[in-house]
Amino acid sequence: MLYRESGQFKTTYAADQQLFPIRQDRYAIGLLLAVAFVVIPLFASSYWLTALLIPFLVFALATLGLNILTGYAGQLSLGTAAFMAVGAVAAYNFQLRIPGMPILVSFILGGLTAALIGIAFGLPSLRIKGFYLAVATLAAQFFIPWLLVKVSWFSNNSASGVITAQPIEILGFAFDSPPRKYLLVLTIVALMALAAKNMVRSSIGRAWMAVRDMDVAAEVIGIRIMRTKLIAFAVSSFYCGVAGALYAFAYLGSVEPDGFNLDLSFRILFMVIIGGAGSILGSFLGAAFITLLPIFLDVLLTEGAAALNLNLPSGMTSMAQLVVFGALIIFFLIVEPHGLARLWQILKEKLRLWPFPH
Amino acid sequence: MQFFFEVLIGGLLAGVMYSLVALGFVLIYKASGVFNFAQGGMVFFAALTFVGLQEKTGMPFWVLIAATLAVMVVLGIVIERVVLRPLVNQPQITLFMATIGLAFFIEGLAQIIWGTEVRRLDLGLQDEPIGALMDQFGILVSKFDLIAALVAGILVAVLAVFFNKTRIGRALRAVADDHQAALAVGIPLKQIWAIVWSVAGFVALVAGLLWGARNGVQFALTFVALKALPVLILGGFESILGAIVGGLIIGAAEKLAEVYLGPHLGGGIEGWFAYMLALLFLLVRPEGLFGEKHIDRV
Amino acid sequence: MTSGPHPSPPPSVMGEGVHSPARRIGDTMLSVDNISLAFGGVKALTDISFDVREHEIRAIIGPNGAGKSSMLNCINGVYTPQQGRIRFDGQTFTSMDPHKAATMGIARTFQNIALFKGMSVLDNLMTGRNLKMRANLLAQAFYVGPNRREELEQREKVEQIIDFLQIESVRKVPVGRLPYGVQKRVELGRALAAEPRLLLLDEPMAGMNIEEKQDMCRFVLDVNDEFGTTIVLIEHDMGVVMDISDRVVVLDYGKKIGDGTPDEVRSNQAVIDAYLGVAH
């Protein structure tokens, strides 16, 4: 009853084209932001911030990146983690080698470096489609971390290849505690999510979707397929690069190229599929789901085993994770290819009509 | 020069094994247009089931083979029934992602059933140099590799005959060409798909046994399947011949690069070399060596 | 079919007197010279020449597989012919590319609807105006200044087309959910959104019932009348073709076998043999 747009008339196209045309949505998003920016930093425990919320936000950003490429532009990539690695290592090196470099600028430059590499590996997409492209991006996934480890310049000649990320300080203010790091990540992710939303509702976003849905028709309209795909690769890799930098600087505190492996790429792909390909909101839902699921499973299995007096073999949780992830992916692709975002949308539509069925 | 040949032969033999895995992909791709990312998971599943059954029951070799084959056939049919049939007529990219999910599922399941530790698989073949070659030419070629390559070669030949000469093979090719038309002339589509997935399970079993005997039965087996992808890019997804030739090229090129190029690049290049090779190849000839060029009709 | 004097057409879906004599047919706008196209060994088009005049409605007819769609695909650069030239607006091309064709004001629809299925009607039409949009990526990301202004301006234009085609009620519906006839209309709208000078319509009325056909004919004629758009049209329904087109090209097995006014074509023996006499 409360969620209904009746009585809210749009008299201009400007009003109709705003981000959240329904008033209740605006209130809800305002409330959500208030909770995220004020309530959580005040009350959430360190564990919640460092183990759950920061990785969730970082993954959401990477998922946004992959979603732009796969969900909106229709180009499948299995190299997400590699582009994150580029962003992380590049940001580290910009910090390291240019004295007085503001850290935010390093993050942006890290993203831009990832964008350049993304364009390079996106070039084959001009001639190949679908899983052919997936194989090409696998090349990036295997080659880039290898290169980052082998060329010791990247890790400043660190013996183990692992490097310690510099502390985050902006205008003399140190982002050293969990709530502060959380706030920084949240701000960056919120801004970039807004930018992503704006892009997908502007001409570039329509060009991406056009190329995804029907490339010949898009070409005939005058969309340059090549340029559109490469922009998608660039923007996507930029997002992944910044996510990688945040992953290293705000979450792990270190940069280890080998940590950006195929598994991470898959995990982010799963976030896209389960959250909803072609949905900004879905990126967040998917990231939350996949971040929380292992923890949930872990608790369930250990508690369950304890209750039944079973002795679980070691590694059981991670195996169960594989099975559950796999089953969920198949389930969503068959039952709801548009993921959690679509379920949320259906719920909203039902809510608008409630208590009437139609 | 002797050393070069030694490396080359080693590479070619390893390449036959790549071909074997790639063959599983080609079979399924030809018949149902699905790029089955889970083929590696199936190889792993087969090898693990074989070793697991061996440990648990101690059955004789051929009984074990039959039992594992039965398991693989059931697995194949279940996959076809539960995962792929509901996704018929979906975009290829969706099917591909579904098989990624499938890969995770199978890999997790195999380890839940049989445990996670690395196991040895003994086929009674020794990984030792062949004496005659050693004495005569001074070339070191592993007996195991040779026999494995022979087995793989025979399997490939049998499948080629199966595909080209039998009634089922002909039906299969018809299905590959056009589902609807095949259905219209009375080819039982679902049966054909079940057969293909079973055959793919069989190929996975052979590959799993050979690779497992060589490297131990462990999770890393699934990466072998990842190696088969560049083979397919090279050979084209629809060609059995392509899978063989592509496998040989990738196998040889990888070994040669590892030996001659690797030291200059700091080693470890076998992780990506095949992929970069395939990537470069894609830019030149996207349809693969033996693939067909498609004309987009509008 | 009996031939009557122009402009009283044979019994047809449009009824009487649909031609407005006030339309001014201008000079040659597009001419296709000696086009040949082959796929491998299969010849799709052999030595085809014809021209299209400004403000004209030009129909291409012929049996299935005659090469009609291939002809359109050559004109807007989806296919590259092996031989021949295309002259458009005084410029000569041995091959077009689709982007070039679009910037020169050529728009088209497809035989099998080629809409962007995942997007709403509004977004499909907005995509049609893509070439008119100039805002850079950053402006789009922040939805500021030029981008915001541009989006609103273009929205206004697109709404005019939505009004014209009477699809207001479905503007926010994803096109995949719309019935076939409406999708055809949306596709016409997407082509119109580009404000084309030359509109290529590939069987705009295929698969429609008689009412839908009448609507679509009305739209085609209105576009031609009100916007002065030149139209090249492939259509199977002879009644429609004879009614609304000024001149007709007839293709058969990739060769041109007839060219002229509907009346001329109707009395052409080769055409009757190949097409009208046999197929209808």
Side-chain angles (χ1 to χ4, degrees), chain C residues 161-256:
Chain C
I161 293 165
I162 289 179
D163 285 348
F164 172 77
L165 293 172
Q166 298 158 11
I167 45 178
E168 296 93 336
S169 59
V170 293
R171 63 158 76 79
K172 295 214 168 156
V173 179
V175 289
R177 287 194 218 161
L178 295 174
Y180 178 83
V182 183
Q183 289 197 17
K184 278 270 184 196
R185 210 184 279 189
V186 175
E187 204 188 4
L188 175 65
R190 189 181 64 189
L192 288 177
E195 296 179 47
R197 296 188 47 221
L198 174 64
L199 183 57
L200 312 175
L201 301 176
D202 196 344
E203 301 199 21
M205 289 151 227
M208 286 185 165
N209 65 29
I210 192 120
E211 286 85 5
E212 289 171 327
K213 272 188 190 176
Q214 283 176 340
D215 284 346
M216 191 52 99
C217 279
R218 197 70 257 167
F219 289 131
V220 171
L221 286 171
D222 281 354
V223 166
N224 184 248
D225 263 354
E226 289 180 24
F227 309 140
T229 311
T230 312
I231 291 168
V232 175
L233 162 100
I234 294 176
E235 186 47 56
H236 270 303
D237 187 319
M238 278 304 120
V240 169
V241 170
M242 295 303 164
D243 263 3
I244 69 174
S245 51
D246 296 299
R247 288 189 300 153
V248 181
V249 181
V250 192
L251 301 184
D252 189 26
Y253 290 111
K255 295 198 175 72
K256 186 170 96 168

Side-chain angles (χ1 to χ4, degrees), chain A residues 9 56 110 114 128 131 145 174 186 192 194 200 210 227 252 276 284 296 300 302 323 341 351:
Chain A
F9 299 109
F56 154 66
I128 52 175
F131 45 73
L186 178 66
M192 287 179 73
L194 179 66
V200 300
R227 195 168 158 267
L252 294 180
F284 285 89
F296 174 75
L300 190 77
T302 29
V323 171
L351 204 61

Side-chain angles (χ1 to χ4, degrees), chain B residues 41-52:
Chain B
M42 286 168 71
V43 170
F44 178 52
F45 192 93
L48 204 52
T49 305
F50 181 88
V51 185

Side-chain angles (χ1 to χ4, degrees), chain B residues 67-87:
Chain B
T68 316
L69 183 59
V71 172
M72 292 313 290
V73 167
V74 170
L75 180 73
I77 292 172
V78 169
I79 291 172
E80 193 277 317
R81 185 74 194 81
V82 176
V83 180
L84 290 149
R85 210 179 291 175
L87 287 170

